[in-house]
Amino acid sequence: MGKPIENPAPAFDWETRFWWEGCARGELWLQRCAACGVLRHRPRAVCPACLSGEVAYEQASGRGTVYTFTVTHQNHAPPFRGCTPYVLAYVELEEGPRVLTNVVGCEPDAVRVGMPVVVDFGEVQGEIAVPRFRPA
Ligand SMILES: [Zn+2]
């Protein structure tokens, strides 16, 4: 396991601000279409199912399972240099949407598809906390 990844600050915009502000509070928030009810992630202005712009927000549990993953053994780009090997994964939240993230808190070889995980916001850096997941 390499050193922890220190992400550069994500760019906030009006579509993603609620997500990053929630993460800084230690919370995961999702969008639900107020017209058709589809729950979605990544944040976006328009429902991918019905194209409605009506949106409501719901807090997610922070629990999920590994949907798929890869172990990165080489990455020379900062800030990832020295952080390998690390796990890049899609975690399927128990609410349904999938989050592109890292799995931390275990050796990369221990990660399995279907493994139960919980969100881990790590250390808040200023206004920023990046949600990662660790074994439940
Ligand atoms: Zn919709």
Side-chain angles (χ1 to χ4, degrees), residues 26-123:
E27 302 167 354
L28 287 181
W29 284 83
L30 301 171
Q31 292 177 311
R32 183 178 296 280
C33 176
C36 77
V38 165
L39 195 61
R40 65 185 187 244
H41 181 76
R42 65 178 170 71
R44 62 195 102 171
V46 174
C47 174
C50 76
L51 303 181
S52 170
E54 300 295 316
V55 64
Y57 298 89
E58 292 183 16
Q59 187 174 356
S61 67
R63 293 184 297 273
T65 56
V66 174
Y67 178 77
T68 190
F69 71 98
T70 186
V71 179
T72 301
H73 290 277
Q74 290 186 16
N75 189 341
H76 300 291
F80 304 101
R81 186 180 302 135
C83 300
T84 57
Y86 61 86
V87 177
L88 182 65
Y90 269 107
V91 164
E92 187 169 83
L93 300 175
E94 67 179 13
E95 292 83 2
R98 295 176 189 145
V99 178
L100 183 62
T101 186
N102 301 113
V103 176
V104 297
C106 66
E107 291 298 323
D109 289 349
V111 177
R112 297 287 182 266
V113 169
M115 185 171 89
V117 290
V118 294
V119 70
D120 182 342
F121 291 97
E123 193 173 313

Side-chain angles (χ1 to χ4, degrees), residues 120-135:
D120 182 342
F121 291 97
E123 193 173 313
V124 176
Q125 301 165 0
E127 297 176 55
I128 305 302
V130 176
R132 296 187 172 91
F133 286 77
R134 59 178 165 75

